Amino acid sequence: MSRGEGLSPYFTVTLRGRCRLHELLSHLYVLIPVLDNEKHYWVGDDEVDKLLRHGEGWLAQHPERELIAHRYLKHRRSLAAKAIERLMEEESPELETTEEAAREEEAIVEAPLSLNAQRLGTVLAVLRESGARRVVDLGCGEGKLLSLLLDDRRFERIVGMDVSSRSLDIAADRLRLERLPPHQRERIQLLHGSLLYRDKRLEGFDAACAVEVIEHLDPPRLAAFERVVFEFARPQTVIITTPNREYNVKWETLPAGQFRHRDHRFEWIRAEFQAWASAVAERFGYSVRFLPVGPEDPATGSPTQMGVFGLKND
Ligand code: SAH
């Protein structure tokens, strides 16, 4: 590279090499703004995608990749960090699985398995057994179940719905929605909405779950939820879990008479949940069976109760 006449900011550059024109152009596309160190338009998230697309096959191994990312993204530190992180991931695809393994191990070491993990495991097992391919998670929260569903290819269409947009943002992060390859990205969708209003987007699923959601609804609103799920969305299978109040005495840290969470509007004993679920099943043409989740105690039952509803085909 040689500088032109005088103190001009322009350079005369000679490039030598044998490569495909397409590769050369990709390099230039990235390196010209890097050498120029000036970008005259707004640098947003999609610039990270552009950088990675044009840097495919060479940038990850480039000795100056940090500098390149930093300059290309116009010194936006967070974007450059994002780009580098993604480059590293693309370089070592097993990174994610390692993370997962670590998380699983954590759960195993944390004996007994956390109630939350047991609950999600049971929901997943019931979903698999039901043969469902299209699943909607009602009140999906931060997307833990969605992430398990995404890991299992048999689930072709996965939708999470929640009334809290903050929870949905966290779910999108947890699921790395923005980074999923297209064949994964098209399997999953997050919806912002309330389970108290009829919603066409909830129709056409094989199964719906509401995991630890009903106890967050005001009792007078429960009837609306029932119609939304069992009358309008009407999937073949519905899985509902809720705390079993009888088990609360087993938690020494929980003061007597108190709910497990301050946003819980009620916590039912087994007889209450079973009476509610049976009445709902009867009214809407479903059958229902009950499954324990978590360690079962002869006196109190298990900490979580689960109702599995199956649409009666008549
Ligand atoms: N299913 C998740 C979250 C349970 S917490 C899990 O098991 O981890 C209860 C969730 O229900 C919260 O995310 C809350 O925002 C959501 N929720 C409460 N009322 C709702 C409503 N009317 N419509 C949709 N979601 C609701």
Side-chain angles (χ1 to χ4, degrees):
M1 188 187 288
S2 69
R3 213 172 226 275
E5 292 303 306
L7 288 174
S8 153
Y10 300 106
F11 293 84
T12 305
V13 179
T14 309
L15 295 169
R16 256 187 223 102
R18 270 180 80 85
C19 64
R20 291 174 48 202
L21 183 61
H22 152 82
E23 290 163 33
L24 174 68
L25 292 176
S26 292
H27 272 70
L28 289 178
Y29 184 90
V30 174
L31 292 179
I32 286 175
V34 166
L35 291 170
D36 184 31
N37 201 15
E38 194 73 60
K39 257 180 150 246
H40 300 282
Y41 55 91
W42 168 247
V43 173
D45 266 18
D46 58 350
E47 288 296 311
V48 175
D49 291 328
K50 264 194 222 166
L51 172 64
L52 295 180
R53 202 162 61 241
H54 294 287
E56 202 185 324
W58 63 273
L59 185 55
Q61 294 86 36
H62 199 289
E64 295 294 352
R65 64 184 175 214
E66 265 94 11
L67 176 81
I68 293 169
H70 199 58
R71 282 195 175 185
Y72 185 88
L73 298 168
K74 196 148 170 54
H75 304 284
R76 293 265 315 267
R77 209 180 283 277
S78 63
L79 287 184
K82 224 188 244 181
I84 295 295
E85 192 186 317
R86 280 176 56 182
L87 267 179
M88 304 320 291
E89 256 174 27
E90 275 156 33
E91 240 181 341
S92 51
E94 64 283 356
L95 192 71
E96 226 161 302
T97 18
T98 319
E99 265 173 24
E100 235 157 60
R103 242 182 286 134
E104 270 168 25
E105 207 177 292
E106 222 172 68
I108 293 162
V109 173
E110 183 204 310
L113 200 60
S114 82
L115 180 56
N116 187 254
Q118 289 183 54
R119 193 157 45 223
L120 297 180
T122 312
V123 173
L124 194 61
V126 173
L127 283 173
R128 284 176 176 152
E129 178 201 274
S130 77
R133 305 248 157 226
R134 296 162 299 174
V135 179
V136 60
D137 186 12
L138 309 169
C140 62
E142 300 178 0
K144 290 195 191 115
L145 178 61
L146 298 175
S147 143
L148 295 176
L149 294 171
L150 197 59
D151 283 344
D152 187 334
R153 314 224 101 261
R154 85 183 75 199
F155 301 112
E156 292 161 5
R157 180 160 148 70
I158 303 160
V159 171
M161 190 215 231
D162 207 286
V163 76
S164 152
S165 50
R166 197 182 128 65
S167 293
L168 291 175
D169 285 345
I170 298 173
D173 273 354
R174 174 191 293 274
L175 296 160
R176 304 168 177 232
L177 277 198
E178 285 183 13
R179 304 194 205 164
L180 288 180
H183 68 277
Q184 288 286 73
R185 184 64 191 86
E186 60 204 21
R187 288 171 61 216
I188 186 153
Q189 192 187 4
L190 297 179
L191 300 177
H192 188 212
S194 169
L195 296 167
L196 302 176
Y197 302 96
R198 181 180 185 173
D199 193 327
K200 285 237 173 275
R201 297 173 301 173
L202 302 180
E203 291 169 21
F205 289 90
D206 304 315
C209 333
V211 180
E212 307 294 279
V213 172
I214 57 170
E215 65 276 10
H216 292 266
L217 307 177
D218 276 331
R221 298 283 183 93
L222 219 45
F225 167 83
E226 292 160 19
R227 294 193 68 194
V228 166
V229 176
F230 293 92
E231 183 178 336
F232 300 123
R234 212 164 172 74
Q236 200 70 34
T237 304
V238 179
I239 302 172
I240 293 189
T241 80
T242 196
N244 165 18
R245 192 174 83 219
E246 287 160 277
Y247 194 88
N248 288 357
V249 293
K250 308 269 297 168
W251 268 304
E252 282 150 19
T253 47
L254 192 68
Q258 206 157 314
F259 291 153
R260 295 182 198 177
H261 191 283
R262 60 189 141 73
D263 190 48
H264 285 179
R265 310 300 157 92
F266 58 87
E267 284 179 358
W268 278 336
I269 63 169
R270 284 169 293 174
E272 285 170 316
F273 176 59
Q274 292 182 12
W276 172 79
S278 303
V280 167
E282 172 71 28
R283 188 153 9 109
F284 294 101
Y286 281 77
S287 60
V288 63
R289 61 194 167 104
F290 299 97
L291 297 175
V293 182
E296 247 193 312
D297 180 279
T300 64
S302 62
T304 297
Q305 28 190 354
M306 176 183 284
V308 180
F309 300 77
L311 184 61
K312 287 189 194 157
N313 297 307
D314 44 18

